[in-house]
Amino acid sequence: MQSLRQLRTSAVCKHRVCARHGFRQCLFYSVVVLVTFVSITGLGAGRLWAAGGTLTLNLVDETTDEPVISRVECFRVQPGKRDKPMPIRQTVDAGMGVVVDRSVLMELPDGAYRLQIIRGPEYRVVGASFSLEKTSLDEKTVALPRMIEMKREGWMSGDCCVVPSSNSLPLRMASEDLHVVAVLEGVPAKPIPHRDSDEPIEHTPTWIRSDVVSAEGLIFYGVDDAFRSEIAAAKSSTEMLVAASRSELAGQLKVGVENPFAWELPVWLASQKLDGLFVMGDWLRLDKTIYQVRDGRGEQAFSLREPTQVGRYAEQIYRHLLDAGIDIVPLAGGGDDSAGTPVGYNRLYVTSHHEATNETGVSRPVLPTSSRQWWDGVWQGRSVATNGPLLRPLVAGTLPGHVFEGRTGEVLQLHPELNLTVRDPVDYLEVIYNNQVHYSARLDEFAEAGGRIPPIEAKQSGWVIMRVLTLHEGHYRAAMTAPWWIEFDGERRVSQASVEFFRAWLSAYEKRLAQTQPEAIDREAPFVRAARRFWTRRAEQSKRWTGSAVAK
């Protein structure tokens, strides 16, 4: 017997034409809150199993009826006690649970069990419950319902930092419906149980790069063995940045901040050698809740042990960075301390650059056709970072990364639009304009407004991002777009509040350096002095901007 229970909200779609820009604007939101339960009972009697019964579990896609690979968590239900995680033999470890490669024979002690079947954020989570007895011998097929196929909408998912493992990475990627990965080191994979070594894993595309190295809070993409040796020989992160700028690979190297809380962050930013910053990383994990910044500058409020505060702080740092006029793209991934979290939990959805060519003037996301195209989209800022909500955004008909241009005296009317699919209950969705909340609404308020977001009337340079926050209690579960930039007279906005945020950080770093690493002062002094000059110049630039705001 199988029972299915699900809840679905309605979708709202409105259309209108923007007279100024001459494009047809589609304001559409689709929110799906889905819980699927399967009860597997009545297992047939067959041969006697001394250690318990068996259940053959088959997984298929509900739409295509084709076998699928998925992550599965198994728990033994113990009345009056916490459910006990159970291993499943002859499977590949996934960090949380295991990878079921289309089907698995589950041999378990007699008792009651429950399963969580998770295949990335584009599928509904399926919960299954069953009981096994010594005489149990049965086979059940569970269909996994897909909420949305982001590839069909022009967006492809990737994890920008995966730790090496001997567990098959292509198989784990397939189990999370993930397509692009940057792994810190290539490690030979162990054989996959019940799969021939020459049998391909049908999951297209699967793009994996291993020319990546992470050290001291920085991450470098496009490295070779010679540069790896330079990184290993460097005595500090600042020396690594110098090595990157002098390397023969300088033209192809990309540098990201893997630890956005690092004490050295204001110095790194001042070097102007950075290309990206992780807004979602190993502080957002499924295996445990991170309450404190482990290696870097936190906030006094962190002593409250509120589970979402570290994730919010990372986003706050990124918003200050934008408001200081620094053009760095968002990154997302597991991070260098994420072995216990499934690959792709924190992920980046990326689309290719595509100028609007139709009569409406609205940009259409185009699916990257190669690994290089995907990474080009990353560095162009055509992305959305998420560990849950699936957001397809436009502002004035353009994709993230677009630069709007204006001249003094003009007013640009920019209409934000979004299309959202999400499993978790949503707290609110917001449009952030110049580090202030331009629009904030609960989903019911958004629906009552017909899915319309008030336009931004831009009279000066600035930036825009959109974000969606869920009510998930374990940690910060959200989605955030890369920015759209607004440039009047070819200039970027520089806010005093955000510059002072980083100047205070730099002062704290200098004090910490003197207290904890006095032997490093002489080595780091030139970089610190250069950073002081950089932020002083930024402070002078900020004086022309008014209405600066502190990130909330």
Side-chain angles (χ1 to χ4, degrees):
M1 179 186 72
Q2 294 187 335
S3 63
L4 178 69
R5 182 173 73 218
Q6 60 188 39
L7 169 67
R8 188 192 305 265
T9 69
S10 61
V12 176
C13 183
K14 300 289 181 181
H15 301 278
R16 73 177 177 207
V17 175
C18 173
R20 172 178 168 79
H21 296 286
F23 60 83
R24 181 170 174 264
Q25 184 182 45
C26 175
L27 300 179
F28 176 81
Y29 92 97
S30 155
V31 180
V32 185
V33 183
L34 300 141
V35 184
T36 302
F37 300 92
V38 178
S39 178
I40 303 173
T41 60
L43 295 178
R47 55 186 286 198
L48 181 66
W49 296 86
T54 68
L55 170 67
T56 298
L57 176 67
N58 302 311
L59 303 179
V60 299
D61 183 285
E62 184 181 69
T63 303
T64 66
D65 206 34
E66 293 293 324
V68 293
I69 303 166
S70 183
R71 180 166 62 91
V72 175
E73 298 177 29
C74 179
F75 302 89
R76 187 170 187 177
V77 178
Q78 305 175 104
K81 299 180 181 179
R82 188 172 184 176
D83 291 352
K84 180 183 178 181
M86 297 292 291
I88 302 176
R89 297 175 57 210
Q90 297 294 300
T91 56
V92 171
D93 182 66
M96 293 286 290
V98 301
V99 177
V100 169
D101 187 5
R102 300 162 294 183
S103 67
V104 65
L105 177 66
M106 302 176 65
E107 298 179 283
L108 298 165
D110 59 315
Y113 296 88
R114 66 178 180 88
L115 301 176
Q116 286 275 94
I117 306 172
I118 309 106
R119 193 169 194 258
E122 299 179 30
Y123 280 78
R124 308 174 198 172
V125 175
V126 174
S129 60
F130 62 95
S131 296
L132 286 180
E133 300 175 355
K134 290 182 179 181
T135 56
S136 299
L137 176 62
D138 207 356
E139 180 173 353
K140 294 296 177 181
T141 297
V142 176
L144 306 187
R146 181 186 279 277
M147 299 186 299
I148 184 172
E149 187 168 2
M150 291 289 282
K151 285 199 304 178
R152 287 184 177 272
E153 305 214 8
W155 296 87
M156 186 175 290
S157 59
D159 187 321
C160 299
C161 183
V162 173
V163 294
S165 168
S166 59
N167 295 311
S168 170
L169 183 53
L171 189 76
R172 289 184 290 138
M173 291 171 66
S175 75
E176 298 291 343
D177 198 23
L178 183 74
H179 295 282
V180 189
V181 151
V183 62
L184 294 178
E185 182 182 352
V187 174
K190 295 182 292 188
I192 300 172
H194 306 297
R195 180 183 281 269
D196 293 337
S197 59
D198 59 350
E199 182 183 359
I201 296 171
E202 295 183 0
H203 181 64
T204 305
T206 298
W207 297 328
I208 300 173
R209 66 183 299 180
S210 57
D211 59 340
V212 185
V213 61
S214 175
E216 301 294 331
L218 295 172
I219 184 166
F220 300 85
Y221 298 86
V223 307
D224 59 12
D225 290 341
F227 186 73
R228 286 182 188 273
S229 298
E230 290 187 66
I231 292 296
K235 296 179 180 179
S236 68
S237 60
T238 47
E239 289 189 2
M240 294 177 191
L241 288 176
V242 171
S245 65
R246 295 176 178 174
S247 171
E248 295 179 357
L249 302 172
Q252 69 187 56
L253 274 176
K254 296 293 184 181
V255 184
V257 176
E258 193 268 331
N259 177 12
F261 317 111
W263 286 103
E264 301 92 334
L265 180 63
V267 178
W268 297 343
L269 294 172
S271 76
Q272 301 181 74
K273 305 295 184 186
L274 303 179
D275 300 287
L277 178 139
F278 276 72
V279 295
M280 294 182 178
D282 53 24
W283 55 95
L284 301 173
R285 301 172 56 162
L286 287 176
D287 58 330
K288 62 181 178 180
T289 300
I290 306 298
Y291 293 100
Q292 300 284 343
V293 170
R294 175 175 51 85
D295 184 18
R297 187 173 191 250
E299 289 191 330
Q300 189 173 2
F302 285 0
S303 60
L304 300 176
R305 291 179 63 81
E306 198 281 321
T308 69
Q309 61 193 356
V310 179
R312 291 176 183 273
Y313 184 47
E315 186 195 290
Q316 180 191 47
I317 292 167
Y318 185 70
R319 287 167 53 183
H320 273 306
L321 182 152
L322 298 179
D323 220 33
I326 298 174
D327 186 359
I328 291 178
V329 301
L331 301 173
D336 68 359
D337 185 25
S338 60
T341 293
V343 62
Y345 173 64
N346 301 311
R347 61 178 62 191
L348 202 65
Y349 278 93
V350 176
T351 188
S352 289
H353 175 70
H354 182 76
E355 293 295 340
T357 57
N358 56 32
E359 67 279 2
T360 66
V362 177
S363 294
R364 177 174 58 87
V366 175
L367 193 70
T369 57
S370 67
S371 176
R372 179 168 182 172
Q373 267 195 13
W374 192 88
W375 286 100
D376 284 346
V378 171
W379 307 123
Q380 292 165 1
R382 302 192 181 279
S383 63
V384 177
T386 185
N387 56 6
L390 301 173
L391 179 61
R392 285 85 72 208
L394 294 172
V395 170
T398 67
L399 296 164
H402 183 80
V403 179
F404 298 100
E405 297 178 346
R407 295 182 179 179
T408 301
E410 289 185 330
V411 178
L412 301 182
Q413 272 212 344
L414 309 176
H415 293 265
E417 317 163 38
L418 66 86
N419 185 350
L420 170 67
T421 305
V422 62
R423 283 193 309 232
D424 297 284
V426 171
D427 192 1
Y428 52 86
L429 60 91
E430 289 187 335
V431 177
I432 309 295
Y433 170 48
N434 290 354
N435 226 3
Q436 293 180 308
V437 177
H438 166 75
Y439 174 81
S440 180
R442 310 284 183 183
L443 284 187
D444 56 348
E445 297 169 341
F446 183 60
E448 288 174 5
R452 296 182 180 89
I453 299 174
I456 295 167
E457 296 189 350
K459 302 177 182 178
Q460 61 177 9
S461 297
W463 52 273
V464 179
I465 63 171
M466 295 189 216
R467 65 175 183 168
V468 175
L469 290 82
T470 74
L471 291 169
H472 179 70
E473 296 180 352
H475 52 253
Y476 189 62
R477 184 172 286 174
M480 187 189 76
T481 70
W484 291 259
W485 292 97
I486 304 165
E487 291 185 0
F488 275 74
D489 304 318
E491 293 185 345
R492 288 275 167 98
R493 165 187 166 88
V494 179
S495 101
Q496 183 178 0
S498 292
V499 170
E500 291 305 317
F501 175 82
F502 289 113
R503 292 180 83 181
W505 193 321
L506 179 61
S507 295
Y509 170 57
E510 292 184 61
K511 292 177 182 178
R512 179 179 175 81
L513 198 62
Q515 293 170 357
T516 63
Q517 301 180 61
E519 74 285 355
I521 290 178
D522 290 343
R523 184 187 68 224
E524 299 299 317
F527 304 108
V528 172
R529 286 195 294 268
R532 281 199 215 121
R533 291 193 295 270
F534 174 86
W535 291 110
T536 298
R537 289 194 300 270
R538 287 277 159 155
E540 289 298 317
Q541 289 177 283
S542 73
K543 291 180 180 179
R544 63 170 297 177
W545 302 101
T546 58
S548 300
V550 176
K552 298 180 181 180

